[in-house]
Amino acid sequence: MITHELIERIEGEAVLDFKTDKNGRVQDAAIRFLHFRGMEAILEGRNALDALVITPRVCGICGHSHLITTVRMIENIYHNAGVLIRISDKAQSIRTVTLSCELIQNHIKWLYLVMLHESSKILGKEPAVALKALYISSAVNQLCALFSGQWPHSSYAIPGGVTCDPTHIEVMQALRILSDVERFIDDEVLGCSPEVFEQAMRDNKILSLKGDFGTVLRNFDTLGLLEKGKSHGRFLVLGEAEGVILNGVRNRTDITLVSEDISQTFEHGGKTYAKNALYQGEFYETGPLARALVQKRSGVSDLYRTYGDSALTRLCARVEEMVLLCTQVRQLLSSLDLSQPSFIPPPAIESISGSGVGILEAPRGSLIHRATIEKGKIISYSIITPTQWNLGNGIASNLGVAQRAMIGADTIAKASLIFRTFDVCSVCTTH
Amino acid sequence: MPSKPAKLRVIWLQGITCNGNTHSFLNDPDLERLLDSVAFIHHPILPCTKTLKELVKKLPKSDILIFEGAYRADFERVGVAMETLLSALASKTKHIIALGSCASFGGIFKEFSPEHISGILFDKEEERGPLKMMREKIILLSGCPAHPKWLSFVIEMIVAGKRILVDEYRRPKELYGYLVHNGCLRNEYFEWKVDSDTFGTKEGCLFYAQGCQGPYTHGSCNKILWNEVSSKTRAGTPCVGCTEPTFPKRDLFSTKTYMSIPAEMPLGIPKRSYLALAGAAKSFHIKRLEERLIDDNA
């Protein structure tokens, strides 16, 4: 039997076409995205710096990642044109702080608005609005805005640095907000300290976590899904701390091995606007789980050894990343040297012609922007988003990551919940 | 004891969007109190009484319809074209809010197909959107995104039954009567025509070279601060004019000049007046305004 299931309450919507057997078990699943906005075409012909304003509008929840990727890409174009671009440590740290904020707020919203909500709903106990989660994610965004001016849709990162020139007033306020966020994670998300959480992952005792994350895991356990959702076990990190894992072996990545497959798109007789992103011609999982494994972070790696790339490991990786990012943001804020310049002016963009690439680890995984410019004007622009890796739509002999994870689920509802563990974003996928 | 008034029923519908207004709205620290007076029949992310599928099937009545994103007649949600869906929901509601610049004027997404994509009431400056027959019940909250407090203000005014004064684009005057320039921390540099010759400093005005559109962009960004703490210009970023029907213009990080005078004047200021004042201001060298605001940042 074929069922078309509309997946809502993600960023936009997706349609899943399920093929089920007579018991309702999922035998095949196709992933389709039906909205397209033409971001790349909108960018062409414009001044390259305009991309700093346009690309954040790819996505309302991860637009800051697009901004930082764009600025890296333009800096790479300068570099490839033989112009040395210098960025102060201060500017670099501030960029990392604001980007990390975007990941943290994303993971909080995903955990509460999607995972806690949807897993409870299937069990017949739909929770009320998670106001405490929204309150704390807005606090994280406020921390970001102390430097970026606003969230969402800031354009404060420009080739050569950042536009802001913060004082200790902003830094101290940022540290205060961070303390609130850390307390929220300890008291509400985990119900314990990060150290106890880390130990619980190592000792395989995470089901006893008292916080809301524990509730999510127990919901998954009740549904029999904790060890479901396994996929290829291939992982890719192209941005910071890059690496690729194939057959359990970790290697350096090579950006030239990235390709896009357009065979499933409407234009080529398919049923979706999404292009598949491939590495060496294969689907790879990207995002928090890939990052944790490539970086050999102990707790998540321990879970992976026991449970593979199941829902349990994938869920834990996102939560563990949130904890880790808070620690990193604290370190960066505490060591900011405000006497350094925020911005070191590069030559005018109008003097630059050439191509470049910007790569970054966004909330959902590796994000790539590429462009060619001629005397500062964009000739062509190409974006590959993280969800193109994870939510690719393959064929039976070569299934996409989330596709494979859903096959074999007892019911369509459970398969859909597995789908959501990948943190689905429709607006990014098709852009 | 007086009974609690019924909550206003709100539908949040999306056209061609990035979800930026949705996430901006979720930043509202007063969301809890707002939810005391409104209930979402449908919202793309928050818990609500009807899924999108049910919404499209039932087309329920509402008190407020919030539309986020640009309009295109054949753009579909759950297989129903906006042409049908938006007009059906719009005719069954009392108030319509065009939230963000896409819903207001077409915004960034209009650029992809300018002849087919518009706002719901305006298409750039022209009032020829699909809901032009319902103009009296439409309020525009332009901005990319709109500030969450602009939205909660309009909802509170509706709840309180008060009349909202609007400008020529049906934007609340109390929000859009100001310019982004008002309240900018760099105003003194503007007055004395002290240019910020680079990005990344606290000093100098961004209007003369860096492309700042604050002096002719309507919006209370420097009165009702973003995320309660800042704004583009406070973070040293030029205003990109995102609340205006002309958004997005081109060459956003440089000021178009004519004989080294900004080509576009501060709103309503005749060029002659501007030149007279600028000439006088520039003839003085004010040492304090040419120095760093804080000597040693270490």
Side-chain angles (χ1 to χ4, degrees):
Chain A
M1 195 177 123
I2 304 283
T3 311
H4 305 290
E5 184 82 355
L6 181 78
I7 304 294
E8 302 183 33
R9 303 188 69 251
I10 52 176
E11 302 299 317
E13 300 102 47
V15 175
L16 300 179
D17 298 335
F18 288 113
K19 191 176 155 201
T20 48
D21 66 14
K22 60 180 190 316
N23 299 318
R25 186 178 292 271
V26 174
Q27 291 176 310
D28 193 13
I31 304 169
R32 297 193 288 130
F33 292 98
L34 304 179
H35 294 137
F36 172 72
R37 296 161 303 163
M39 288 306 281
E40 288 141 336
I42 290 170
L43 287 155
E44 283 162 18
R46 282 182 164 270
N47 184 306
L49 297 183
D50 286 2
L52 302 167
V53 176
I54 307 285
T55 69
R57 274 79 180 178
V58 168
C59 179
I61 196 166
C62 72
H64 205 80
S65 302
H66 284 277
L67 169 70
I68 306 292
T69 312
T70 299
V71 81
R72 286 184 187 174
M73 179 202 77
I74 300 175
E75 285 167 352
N76 184 245
I77 295 175
Y78 271 104
H79 174 85
N80 292 343
V83 179
L84 183 72
I85 291 260
R86 278 178 51 235
I87 314 284
S88 70
D89 291 344
K90 178 178 95 173
Q92 204 69 266
S93 297
I94 291 174
R95 285 183 188 178
T96 309
V97 166
T98 57
L99 176 64
S100 303
C101 286
E102 180 160 279
L103 271 77
I104 296 168
Q105 64 88 33
N106 178 81
H107 294 356
I108 292 171
K109 285 176 182 167
W110 164 84
L111 182 65
Y112 281 89
L113 300 179
V114 183
M115 295 329 301
L116 182 60
H117 192 94
E118 296 296 324
S119 65
S120 303
K121 203 164 117 185
I122 297 190
L123 292 167
K125 39 180 188 179
E126 185 166 357
V129 188
L131 284 164
K132 64 179 181 184
L134 289 173
Y135 182 77
I136 209 71
S137 61
S138 78
V140 180
N141 294 333
Q142 184 172 68
L143 196 172
C144 179
L146 285 167
F147 303 96
S148 66
Q150 66 183 85
W151 189 97
H153 295 349
S154 160
S155 300
Y156 92 114
I158 53 174
V162 291
T163 62
C164 63
D165 185 21
T167 65
H168 286 106
I169 299 173
E170 284 78 31
V171 178
M172 291 301 133
Q173 190 172 352
L175 284 165
R176 275 202 306 277
I177 295 170
L178 185 62
S179 297
D180 288 344
V181 177
E182 288 166 333
R183 193 171 311 128
F184 177 84
I185 293 175
D186 291 4
D187 296 351
E188 304 293 327
V189 175
L190 302 175
C192 64
S193 69
E195 294 74 28
V196 173
F197 171 52
E198 175 79 23
Q199 198 58 47
M201 282 193 287
R202 285 196 204 146
D203 299 344
N204 199 359
K205 284 185 177 153
I206 43 161
L207 273 180
S208 58
L209 286 179
K210 292 200 169 51
D212 297 321
F213 180 47
T215 305
V216 171
L217 291 172
R218 285 186 290 278
N219 284 350
F220 269 70
D221 191 35
T222 308
L223 291 163
L225 286 178
L226 271 184
E227 297 185 40
K228 294 284 161 56
K230 287 185 186 169
S231 192
H232 301 293
R234 296 191 290 256
F235 303 99
L236 183 68
V237 179
L238 288 163
E240 294 82 352
E242 51 83 34
V244 57
I245 297 175
L246 175 63
N247 300 326
V249 181
R250 194 175 63 147
N251 269 303
R252 299 293 303 269
T253 56
D254 176 357
I255 185 77
T256 63
L257 298 176
V258 173
S259 64
E260 274 188 303
D261 160 32
I262 53 172
S263 64
Q264 305 294 309
T265 59
F266 286 115
E267 226 182 331
H268 294 83
K271 291 181 173 176
T272 176
Y273 276 117
K275 300 172 186 170
N276 295 327
L278 304 172
Y279 187 78
Q280 275 192 302
E282 301 279 7
F283 288 106
Y284 277 74
E285 177 165 353
T286 181
L289 176 57
R291 293 193 278 259
L293 296 178
V294 165
Q295 291 161 18
K296 295 185 176 168
R297 299 211 297 266
S298 60
V300 175
S301 300
D302 289 345
L303 289 174
Y304 181 72
R305 271 190 287 281
T306 313
Y307 298 101
D309 54 346
S310 62
L312 179 149
T313 321
R314 199 168 286 119
L315 291 166
C316 280
R318 233 181 199 78
V319 172
E320 188 257 2
E321 184 168 84
M322 195 154 80
V323 176
L324 180 77
L325 287 167
C326 286
T327 312
Q328 289 173 352
V329 168
R330 180 166 289 284
Q331 272 164 3
L332 289 167
L333 287 172
S334 308
S335 59
L336 269 187
D337 176 0
L338 295 182
S339 70
Q340 293 178 0
S342 293
F343 173 70
I344 303 168
I349 191 77
E350 291 75 15
S351 67
I352 303 296
S353 298
S355 300
V357 57
I359 313 171
L360 169 141
E361 285 301 310
R364 292 165 183 75
S366 302
L367 172 62
I368 304 171
H369 285 210
R370 288 183 224 252
T372 299
I373 69 171
E374 180 71 41
K375 294 204 171 100
K377 248 195 183 57
I378 298 167
I379 303 296
S380 63
Y381 206 107
S382 160
I383 299 171
I384 296 180
T385 56
T387 41
Q388 283 179 258
W389 299 100
N390 291 338
L391 311 178
N393 191 43
I395 48 170
S397 57
N398 189 17
L399 290 168
V401 177
Q403 240 182 335
R404 172 149 177 196
M406 285 188 282
I407 291 173
D410 297 343
T411 62
I412 285 175
K414 288 182 181 179
S416 303
L417 190 61
I418 292 285
F419 183 61
R420 291 177 191 275
T421 63
F422 287 92
D423 198 358
V424 180
C425 177
S426 151
V427 292
C428 272
T429 310
T430 55
H431 50 273
Chain B
M1 213 170 90
S3 65
K4 244 180 146 183
K7 290 184 179 187
L8 289 194
R9 296 157 303 163
V10 182
I11 293 173
W12 185 306
L13 180 68
Q14 293 180 313
I16 307 170
T17 185
C18 70
N19 289 10
N21 290 287
T22 291
H23 285 282
S24 181
F25 170 66
L26 296 183
N27 278 338
D28 189 348
D30 294 322
L31 192 60
E32 186 171 5
R33 281 178 288 285
L34 186 69
L35 292 177
D36 284 341
S37 51
V38 304
F40 282 107
I41 296 175
H42 179 74
H43 186 281
I45 288 185
L46 292 177
C48 49
T49 50
K50 286 196 171 22
T51 63
L52 188 59
K53 236 157 101 177
E54 293 162 348
L55 179 81
V56 164
K57 211 166 149 195
K58 299 259 168 68
L59 300 172
K61 278 190 204 161
S62 60
D63 296 302
I64 304 175
L65 172 65
I66 297 171
F67 190 80
E68 171 186 17
Y71 173 83
R72 181 176 175 137
D74 58 3
F75 180 86
E76 295 180 353
R77 289 269 172 213
V78 206
V80 182
M82 273 304 144
E83 198 171 18
T84 314
L85 183 56
L86 176 63
S87 60
L89 291 172
S91 62
K92 289 184 178 177
T93 192
K94 293 178 189 142
H95 305 270
I96 300 170
I97 300 172
L99 185 66
S101 288
C102 288
S104 296
F105 304 117
I108 281 186
F109 298 132
K110 179 181 167 62
E111 306 277 299
F112 180 63
S113 186
E115 62 279 22
H116 296 116
I117 298 173
S118 70
I120 57 173
L121 177 58
F122 286 88
D123 181 5
K124 291 274 185 187
E125 292 95 339
E126 305 287 323
E127 194 172 321
R128 58 177 176 215
L131 299 187
K132 59 179 183 293
M133 302 307 285
M134 303 183 193
R135 77 182 305 272
E136 295 307 318
K137 64 177 181 183
I138 301 177
I139 296 281
L140 262 61
L141 287 173
S142 58
C144 190
H147 193 295
K149 291 208 163 164
W150 305 348
L151 177 60
S152 55
F153 163 69
V154 170
I155 293 175
E156 282 160 8
M157 289 288 279
I158 292 172
V159 170
K162 293 210 184 285
R163 193 163 80 92
I164 301 168
L165 288 174
V166 293
D167 68 10
E168 57 177 322
Y169 294 120
R170 297 203 59 79
R171 300 179 295 196
K173 279 186 177 172
E174 288 173 313
L175 294 171
Y176 294 84
Y178 293 92
L179 298 175
V180 172
H181 182 59
N182 299 140
C184 175
L185 295 180
R186 294 162 191 265
N187 274 180
E188 201 183 18
Y189 297 105
F190 176 84
E191 285 164 26
W192 294 97
K193 310 296 162 215
V194 179
D195 175 7
S196 170
D197 50 5
T198 181
F199 286 109
T201 68
K202 290 181 264 297
E203 299 83 11
C205 177
L206 303 165
F207 174 61
Y208 305 107
Q210 276 87 6
C212 184
Q213 300 182 39
Y216 47 84
T217 298
H218 295 88
S220 38
C221 296
N222 276 309
K223 182 188 180 211
I224 303 172
L225 294 178
W226 282 87
N227 307 84
E228 323 287 306
V229 291
S230 195
S231 69
K232 279 208 185 62
T233 64
R234 288 183 187 209
T237 311
C239 165
V240 296
C242 77
T243 57
E244 297 298 343
T246 47
F247 178 74
K249 290 183 180 172
R250 287 173 175 265
D251 301 317
L252 298 164
F253 289 86
S254 62
T255 304
K256 202 173 166 199
T257 56
Y258 182 68
M259 309 262 286
S260 56
I261 304 293
E264 192 157 349
M265 288 289 101
L267 193 73
I269 308 292
K271 194 158 219 166
R272 234 164 35 127
S273 319
Y274 179 86
L275 287 176
L277 209 64
K282 274 188 180 168
S283 67
F284 302 107
H285 280 284
I286 296 161
K287 193 163 165 286
R288 180 173 62 84
L289 296 181
E290 287 165 4
E291 290 170 346
R292 296 299 304 258
L293 201 57
I294 301 162
D295 272 348
D296 185 0
N297 222 345

